[in-house]
Short mmCIF file of all heavy atoms in Angstrom, two decimals:
data_model
loop_
_atom_site.label_atom_id
_atom_site.label_comp_id
_atom_site.label_asym_id
_atom_site.label_seq_id
_atom_site.Cartn_x
_atom_site.Cartn_y
_atom_site.Cartn_z
N GLN A 189 47.34 101.67 65.63
CA GLN A 189 46.66 101.87 66.91
C GLN A 189 45.50 100.87 67.02
O GLN A 189 44.89 100.50 66.01
CB GLN A 189 46.09 103.29 67.00
CG GLN A 189 47.08 104.39 66.71
CD GLN A 189 47.94 104.71 67.92
OE1 GLN A 189 47.57 104.41 69.05
NE2 GLN A 189 49.08 105.33 67.68
N THR A 190 45.21 100.46 68.24
CA THR A 190 44.07 99.56 68.46
C THR A 190 42.90 100.30 69.09
O THR A 190 41.89 99.67 69.42
CB THR A 190 44.48 98.38 69.35
OG1 THR A 190 45.00 98.88 70.59
CG2 THR A 190 45.55 97.53 68.66
N GLN A 191 43.03 101.60 69.26
CA GLN A 191 41.96 102.43 69.78
C GLN A 191 41.62 103.51 68.76
O GLN A 191 42.47 103.90 67.94
CB GLN A 191 42.35 103.07 71.12
CG GLN A 191 42.71 102.07 72.20
CD GLN A 191 41.53 101.24 72.65
OE1 GLN A 191 40.39 101.72 72.64
NE2 GLN A 191 41.77 99.99 73.03
N ASP A 192 40.39 104.03 68.82
CA ASP A 192 39.96 104.99 67.81
C ASP A 192 40.44 106.41 68.11
O ASP A 192 40.29 107.31 67.29
CB ASP A 192 38.44 105.00 67.68
CG ASP A 192 37.74 105.37 68.99
OD1 ASP A 192 37.87 106.52 69.42
OD2 ASP A 192 37.06 104.49 69.55
N ARG A 193 41.07 106.63 69.29
CA ARG A 193 41.47 107.98 69.68
C ARG A 193 43.00 108.08 69.74
O ARG A 193 43.66 107.16 70.21
CB ARG A 193 40.86 108.33 71.03
CG ARG A 193 41.01 109.79 71.43
CD ARG A 193 39.99 110.13 72.50
NE ARG A 193 40.15 111.50 72.98
CZ ARG A 193 39.25 112.13 73.70
NH1 ARG A 193 38.10 111.52 74.02
NH2 ARG A 193 39.44 113.37 74.11
N VAL A 194 43.54 109.21 69.25
CA VAL A 194 44.99 109.38 69.19
C VAL A 194 45.35 110.78 69.67
O VAL A 194 44.59 111.73 69.51
CB VAL A 194 45.50 109.15 67.74
CG1 VAL A 194 45.00 110.24 66.81
CG2 VAL A 194 47.01 109.05 67.69
N TRP A 195 46.54 110.87 70.27
CA TRP A 195 47.06 112.19 70.66
C TRP A 195 47.66 112.87 69.45
O TRP A 195 48.36 112.27 68.65
CB TRP A 195 48.14 112.04 71.72
CG TRP A 195 47.61 111.59 73.05
CD1 TRP A 195 46.33 111.34 73.38
CD2 TRP A 195 48.40 111.36 74.22
NE1 TRP A 195 46.22 110.95 74.67
CE2 TRP A 195 47.49 110.96 75.24
CE3 TRP A 195 49.75 111.45 74.53
CZ2 TRP A 195 47.90 110.65 76.52
CZ3 TRP A 195 50.16 111.14 75.81
CH2 TRP A 195 49.25 110.75 76.80
N VAL A 196 47.40 114.15 69.33
CA VAL A 196 47.94 114.95 68.23
C VAL A 196 48.89 115.99 68.81
O VAL A 196 48.48 116.83 69.61
CB VAL A 196 46.82 115.65 67.43
CG1 VAL A 196 47.40 116.46 66.28
CG2 VAL A 196 45.82 114.62 66.90
N ARG A 197 50.16 115.92 68.43
CA ARG A 197 51.16 116.84 68.99
C ARG A 197 51.07 118.21 68.31
O ARG A 197 50.52 118.36 67.23
CB ARG A 197 52.57 116.25 68.81
CG ARG A 197 52.77 114.92 69.51
CD ARG A 197 54.22 114.47 69.42
NE ARG A 197 54.65 114.35 68.03
CZ ARG A 197 54.49 113.24 67.30
NH1 ARG A 197 53.89 112.18 67.82
NH2 ARG A 197 54.92 113.20 66.06
N SER A 198 51.66 119.17 68.95
CA SER A 198 51.56 120.55 68.48
C SER A 198 52.20 120.76 67.11
O SER A 198 51.82 121.66 66.36
CB SER A 198 52.18 121.51 69.50
OG SER A 198 53.55 121.17 69.71
N GLU A 199 53.18 119.90 66.75
CA GLU A 199 53.83 120.09 65.44
C GLU A 199 52.92 119.76 64.27
O GLU A 199 53.27 120.03 63.12
CB GLU A 199 55.12 119.26 65.35
CG GLU A 199 54.95 117.80 65.64
CD GLU A 199 55.34 117.45 67.07
OE1 GLU A 199 55.08 118.27 67.97
OE2 GLU A 199 55.93 116.36 67.26
N HIS A 200 51.75 119.20 64.54
CA HIS A 200 50.81 118.90 63.46
C HIS A 200 49.80 120.03 63.26
O HIS A 200 48.91 119.90 62.40
CB HIS A 200 50.06 117.60 63.77
CG HIS A 200 50.95 116.39 63.88
ND1 HIS A 200 51.71 115.92 62.84
CD2 HIS A 200 51.20 115.57 64.94
CE1 HIS A 200 52.39 114.85 63.23
NE2 HIS A 200 52.10 114.62 64.51
N GLU A 201 49.93 121.11 64.02
CA GLU A 201 48.98 122.22 63.88
C GLU A 201 48.97 122.76 62.46
O GLU A 201 50.02 122.98 61.85
CB GLU A 201 49.34 123.34 64.85
CG GLU A 201 49.11 122.97 66.31
CD GLU A 201 49.62 124.04 67.26
OE1 GLU A 201 50.21 125.05 66.76
OE2 GLU A 201 49.46 123.89 68.47
N GLY A 202 47.78 122.95 61.93
CA GLY A 202 47.64 123.48 60.58
C GLY A 202 47.84 122.45 59.48
O GLY A 202 47.73 122.80 58.29
N HIS A 203 48.12 121.21 59.84
CA HIS A 203 48.37 120.17 58.83
C HIS A 203 47.12 119.31 58.60
O HIS A 203 46.27 119.16 59.48
CB HIS A 203 49.52 119.26 59.28
CG HIS A 203 50.84 119.95 59.37
ND1 HIS A 203 52.01 119.30 59.73
CD2 HIS A 203 51.19 121.24 59.16
CE1 HIS A 203 53.02 120.15 59.73
NE2 HIS A 203 52.54 121.35 59.39
N ALA A 204 47.09 118.72 57.41
CA ALA A 204 46.04 117.75 57.11
C ALA A 204 46.47 116.38 57.63
O ALA A 204 47.63 115.99 57.50
CB ALA A 204 45.79 117.68 55.61
N ILE A 205 45.54 115.67 58.24
CA ILE A 205 45.82 114.32 58.73
C ILE A 205 44.84 113.34 58.10
O ILE A 205 43.73 113.71 57.70
CB ILE A 205 45.75 114.23 60.27
CG1 ILE A 205 44.35 114.57 60.77
CG2 ILE A 205 46.81 115.11 60.92
CD1 ILE A 205 44.15 114.28 62.25
N ARG A 206 45.29 112.09 58.03
CA ARG A 206 44.44 111.04 57.47
C ARG A 206 44.36 109.89 58.46
O ARG A 206 45.37 109.50 59.04
CB ARG A 206 45.00 110.54 56.15
CG ARG A 206 44.28 109.28 55.62
CD ARG A 206 44.91 108.81 54.31
NE ARG A 206 44.65 109.76 53.24
CZ ARG A 206 45.29 109.78 52.08
NH1 ARG A 206 46.26 108.89 51.85
NH2 ARG A 206 44.99 110.68 51.16
N CYS A 207 43.16 109.35 58.60
CA CYS A 207 42.95 108.16 59.41
C CYS A 207 42.46 107.03 58.50
O CYS A 207 41.46 107.18 57.80
CB CYS A 207 41.95 108.42 60.53
SG CYS A 207 41.59 106.96 61.53
N THR A 208 43.17 105.91 58.52
CA THR A 208 42.76 104.72 57.77
C THR A 208 42.35 103.65 58.77
O THR A 208 43.15 103.24 59.61
CB THR A 208 43.90 104.20 56.89
OG1 THR A 208 44.34 105.24 56.00
CG2 THR A 208 43.44 102.99 56.09
N VAL A 209 41.10 103.24 58.70
CA VAL A 209 40.57 102.21 59.60
C VAL A 209 40.43 100.91 58.80
O VAL A 209 39.80 100.89 57.74
CB VAL A 209 39.20 102.62 60.18
CG1 VAL A 209 38.76 101.60 61.24
CG2 VAL A 209 39.26 104.01 60.78
N THR A 210 41.01 99.83 59.33
CA THR A 210 40.95 98.52 58.68
C THR A 210 40.23 97.54 59.59
O THR A 210 40.54 97.45 60.78
CB THR A 210 42.37 97.99 58.36
OG1 THR A 210 43.07 98.96 57.57
CG2 THR A 210 42.29 96.69 57.59
N ALA A 211 39.26 96.82 59.03
CA ALA A 211 38.50 95.81 59.77
C ALA A 211 38.87 94.44 59.23
O ALA A 211 38.87 94.21 58.03
CB ALA A 211 37.01 96.06 59.61
N ARG A 212 39.21 93.50 60.15
CA ARG A 212 39.66 92.17 59.74
C ARG A 212 38.87 91.08 60.48
O ARG A 212 38.52 91.24 61.65
CB ARG A 212 41.15 91.98 60.02
CG ARG A 212 42.05 93.03 59.41
CD ARG A 212 43.51 92.71 59.68
NE ARG A 212 44.38 93.81 59.36
CZ ARG A 212 44.82 94.08 58.13
NH1 ARG A 212 44.46 93.30 57.12
NH2 ARG A 212 45.62 95.11 57.90
N ARG A 213 38.65 89.97 59.76
CA ARG A 213 38.03 88.78 60.35
C ARG A 213 38.53 87.56 59.60
O ARG A 213 38.62 87.58 58.37
CB ARG A 213 36.50 88.87 60.26
CG ARG A 213 35.78 87.69 60.89
CD ARG A 213 34.27 87.87 60.83
NE ARG A 213 33.57 86.73 61.41
CZ ARG A 213 32.25 86.63 61.47
NH1 ARG A 213 31.49 87.61 60.98
NH2 ARG A 213 31.70 85.56 62.00
N ASP A 214 38.86 86.50 60.32
CA ASP A 214 39.39 85.29 59.69
C ASP A 214 38.42 84.76 58.64
O ASP A 214 37.22 84.60 58.90
CB ASP A 214 39.62 84.20 60.74
CG ASP A 214 40.80 84.51 61.66
OD1 ASP A 214 41.60 85.38 61.30
OD2 ASP A 214 40.90 83.87 62.73
N GLY A 215 38.96 84.48 57.44
CA GLY A 215 38.16 83.93 56.36
C GLY A 215 37.42 84.97 55.54
O GLY A 215 36.80 84.63 54.53
#
Side-chain angles (χ1 to χ4, degrees):
Q189 307 279 339
T190 57
Q191 301 293 328
D192 60 67
R193 190 160 176 166
V194 67
W195 290 359
V196 180
R197 299 186 301 273
S198 59
E199 54 262 37
H200 299 298
E201 291 174 357
H203 295 181
I205 62 171
R206 171 181 292 165
C207 177
T208 302
V209 187
T210 304
R212 305 183 192 278
R213 182 178 179 180
D214 289 344

